[in-house]
Amino acid sequence: MNNRAMAKTELPAFGVRFMVGRDAGGHWVVSDREGRVGGLFTDRASAVHFAMFESDHLPGAVYCLPDHMILSLGPAFENRAMSPRMKIAGRA
């Protein structure tokens, strides 16, 4: 199967606030519907934990993408360079 980016209009349910998946580099990504809240994570469990916490553990608020889908952080994060002071969650 070909990898393809998940379009914001393809969300599976009305109540989904966060999507969890992998970016093109294999990092775990969390992104909200509007592309304003999200992050990079070293493992799936940390990404899901963050998304569940941010959505107040509401059922159906977090959607995990299928493995063949690519997820990006969204426009609010795309032009930001990682500085040495920034850390990916889960890394020391």
Side-chain angles (χ1 to χ4, degrees):
M1 284 187 201
N2 291 337
N3 289 339
R4 65 183 186 96
M6 178 76 168
K8 299 292 183 192
T9 58
E10 294 181 43
L11 291 176
F14 175 74
V16 173
R17 179 171 176 211
F18 289 98
M19 293 180 293
V20 176
R22 288 187 183 250
D23 67 6
H27 303 101
W28 286 97
V29 175
V30 175
S31 181
D32 76 334
R33 297 185 88 112
E34 289 84 33
R36 294 182 185 178
V37 178
L40 292 175
F41 299 84
T42 56
D43 57 73
R44 183 181 188 272
S46 297
V48 170
H49 177 80
F50 171 82
M52 293 295 294
F53 178 80
E54 288 294 316
S55 63
D56 295 326
H57 299 275
L58 293 173
V62 177
Y63 177 73
C64 293
L65 294 174
D67 290 337
H68 66 278
M69 301 290 246
I70 301 289
L71 181 64
S72 68
L73 280 172
F77 298 91
E78 286 176 358
N79 294 323
R80 293 187 182 180
M82 290 286 286
S83 75
R85 295 183 325 209
M86 298 173 99
K87 293 183 180 181
I88 294 177
R91 286 194 184 163

